[in-house]
């Protein structure tokens, strides 16, 4: 069947057609995007500059911050352009590229969160063997594996989606080329394609959740055995930020991708998508630095160096 959208491309409906909301939304998303880039790239730079942060936990956090910057940049500028200029068209290949990078970065983040859970398990449950368990080589392999899984998942999902024929409507009821929204436009039988996406998403999510749950189960068992109150507090504080980030990320992902296509409401999906494509990448640096003394100390050190180099004394 002929793929008529390949030449015409797609039209993204965006978040709203109300002219009165477009300027406020543009300003809001611009601020969110700038905060996201500042927070995540700032975190990555801080970790690179401070030798005290050259440990496994911050190696994974720098990767996560880099992924969040790229993740947000895949979606937010396109949304901002649509709100400002009003041009909501996206070419067939640009849509496929956006979907690829979105899926790739989301999957990388998924596996990085699992790697961070393993790191926390090793730090709390095997503190004496931590340096020999979570070595530089292990960190590099876990990070590389996360990127490989991300690229493979994206390649399969995009190939699976764009293998379908789009010969009727080219209007995507979303503000970006998300898999369910694009698949809903096909005039082919999409049952097998939806099943493939569902199985891959389920494996990625539940395998990682299993790793995280087992890691935290062992962590909590270890904490219960600790006699010292300070030891318990320290162990919990090292895990708190990661637990918050995991809860936010997987709550929205499970809501979006692990429900039947018949249950999808495009308006509800849009709201959930704003949360995990724009707000989560902005919140992660805040979550990981809010109660982190080492990050705060490194930040103060950078500020003091900047003030000294500029000759400022206040």
């Amino acid at each position: 069947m002929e793929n008529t959208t390949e030449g015409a491309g797609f039209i993204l409906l965006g978040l709203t057609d109300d002219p009165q909301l477009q300027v406020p939304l543009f300003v809001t998303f611009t601020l969110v995007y700038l905060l996201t880039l500042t927070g995540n790239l700032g975190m990555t730079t801080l970790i690179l500059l401070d030798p005290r942060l050259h440990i496994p936990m911050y190696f994974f956090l720098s990767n996560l911050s880099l992924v969040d910057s790229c993740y947000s940049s895949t979606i937010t500028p396109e949304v901002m352009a649509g709100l400002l200029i009003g041009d909501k068209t996206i070419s067939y290949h640009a849509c496929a590229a956006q979907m690829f990078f979105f899926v790739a970065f989301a999957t990388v983040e998924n596996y990085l969160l699992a790697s961070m859970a393993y790191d926390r398990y090793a730090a709390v449950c095997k503190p004496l063997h931590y340096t020999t368990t979570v070595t530089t080589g292990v960190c590099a392999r876990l990070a590389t594996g996360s990127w490989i899984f991300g690229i493979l998942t994206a390649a399969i999902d995009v190939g699976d989606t764009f293998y379908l024929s789009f010969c009727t409507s080219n209007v995507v009821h979303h503000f970006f080329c998300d898999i369910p929204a694009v698949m809903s436009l096909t005039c082919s039988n999409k049952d097998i394609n939806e099943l493939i996406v569902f199985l891959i998403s389920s494996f990625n999510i539940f395998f990682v959740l299993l790793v995280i749950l087992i890691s935290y189960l062992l962590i909590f068992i270890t904490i219960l055995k600790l006699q010292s109150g300070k030891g318990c507090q320290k162990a919990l504080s090292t895990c708190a930020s990661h637990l918050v980030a995991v809860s936010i990320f997987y709550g929205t992902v499970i809501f979006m991708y692990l429900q039947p296509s018949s249950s999808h409401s495009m308006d509800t999906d849009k709201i959930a998508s704003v949360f995990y494509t724009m707000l989560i990448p902005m919140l992660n640096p805040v979550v990981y630095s809010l109660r982190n003394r080492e990050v705060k100390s490194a930040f103060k050190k950078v500020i003091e160096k900047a003030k000294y180099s500029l000759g400022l004394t206040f």
Side-chain angles (χ1 to χ4, degrees), residues 3-52:
N3 217 346
T4 56
T5 56
E6 190 162 357
F10 295 99
I11 298 170
L12 299 171
L13 280 188
L15 285 164
T16 179
D17 290 325
D18 189 344
Q20 293 182 338
L21 290 175
Q22 288 182 352
V23 172
L25 284 175
F26 172 77
V27 173
T28 302
F29 291 145
T30 301
L31 288 173
V32 167
Y33 185 54
L34 290 174
L35 287 171
T36 300
L37 291 183
T38 304
N40 284 292
L41 294 178
M43 179 72 78
T44 304
T45 306
L46 200 63
I47 292 167
L48 287 171
L49 292 176
D50 197 320
R52 294 173 299 173

